[in-house]
Amino acid sequence: MSAMEKKLSRAEQKARRPHEILDAAFEEFVEKGYAATRVEDVGARLGVTKGTVYLYFPTKEALFEATIGHVSAPFEDVRASIDALQGSHSDRLRQLLLLGYDKLAGDRKTRELLRLQLAEGSRFPNIIDRHYGEFVAPLLDAVRALIEQGVASGEFHQGAAASMPEVVISSAIHLTIWKLIFADRNPIDEATFIEAHIDLVLNGLLARRR
């Protein structure tokens, strides 16, 4: 290996270090909560000292906030997936709801992020605002826009559900919380739950032919 290759390798390792610290910090915060998590334990997960962690994140609070930002589901891939939806408005709404379930209930980090928000949100209200703004609000906007298009086309009727996208995606959040609280003792048939929800939504939105 040449000196240049070694230098590039060290540079790449240095560039990855903050992400590795944040991944380790996430596991510590999930396992112990904010108050009980120690910066030295985060470092120990990586085999580094707490001084190395502080080199990138000067306080535990800064580390926690950076961790939340790091693990928050990025919306860029979701937006691309939404743009690629095809078919009728009903077909696209079904696909969009399945995407929401996958990103909320189906992703372990997203579920644990919700747990952290519930536990630490009063201490760090900005993490709730950030997650809502980066993921929840855009998802709601996409659902609202799709339903409005369906109403305009005559495929959906203009009812209460059409003006309240929060209701349309609420069961995805319900399933996420169920998995956090009850999954070990009272598991749920997720596939049937999701299909029942989509069936309920579409039957509530579809225009009745006369």
Side-chain angles (χ1 to χ4, degrees):
M1 182 180 293
S2 68
M4 178 61 72
E5 288 173 330
K6 289 181 180 179
K7 183 177 180 179
L8 289 174
S9 178
R10 287 195 297 269
E12 291 173 350
Q13 184 176 17
K14 184 177 180 180
R16 286 197 300 267
R17 180 64 74 192
H19 299 287
E20 293 171 344
I21 291 173
L22 293 175
D23 285 337
F26 178 71
E27 298 302 332
E28 287 291 321
F29 286 128
V30 165
E31 181 180 329
K32 301 174 182 175
Y34 177 82
T37 293
R38 302 186 306 167
V39 174
E40 51 262 49
D41 292 334
V42 174
R45 277 185 178 261
L46 296 174
V48 301
T49 67
K50 65 179 181 180
T52 301
V53 178
Y54 282 129
L55 181 65
Y56 295 95
F57 306 99
T59 65
K60 187 171 79 166
E61 181 175 333
L63 176 63
F64 181 75
E65 293 188 356
T67 298
I68 297 301
H70 175 66
V71 300
S72 292
F75 192 69
E76 288 75 12
D77 60 332
V78 177
R79 189 181 302 280
S81 298
I82 290 173
D83 292 341
L85 298 179
Q86 296 181 348
S88 66
H89 294 94
S90 296
D91 291 337
R92 282 181 281 160
L93 183 56
R94 168 183 287 275
Q95 296 167 45
L96 183 54
L97 288 174
L98 289 173
L99 178 64
Y101 273 107
D102 181 61
K103 292 297 181 181
L104 289 170
D107 187 280
R108 180 246 172 188
K109 282 193 172 182
T110 303
R111 293 196 305 271
E112 295 299 339
L113 178 60
L114 178 59
R115 189 197 302 277
L116 282 175
Q117 290 178 321
L118 291 172
E120 310 293 350
S122 60
R123 185 196 299 261
F124 298 98
N126 57 310
I127 69 172
I128 295 178
D129 294 339
R130 178 173 181 171
H131 189 243
Y132 182 88
E134 291 183 355
F135 181 72
V136 178
L139 182 60
L140 286 172
D141 289 343
V143 171
R144 180 184 292 107
L146 184 51
I147 293 176
E148 288 176 349
Q149 293 167 17
V151 170
S153 73
E155 185 175 346
F156 297 153
H157 73 90
Q158 181 65 63
S163 61
M164 186 58 65
E166 290 85 353
V167 171
V168 177
I169 71 164
S170 62
S171 286
I173 299 174
H174 175 183
L175 182 58
T176 305
I177 295 174
W178 185 283
K179 292 179 72 171
L180 283 173
I181 300 175
F182 302 118
D184 291 341
R185 295 179 178 272
N186 296 282
I188 196 169
D189 184 338
E190 293 183 36
T192 301
F193 180 99
I194 293 170
E195 193 57 38
H197 173 225
I198 293 175
D199 178 70
L200 189 66
V201 168
L202 292 181
N203 277 291
L205 286 171
L206 287 172
R208 301 290 183 261
R209 303 300 180 187
R210 296 180 179 179

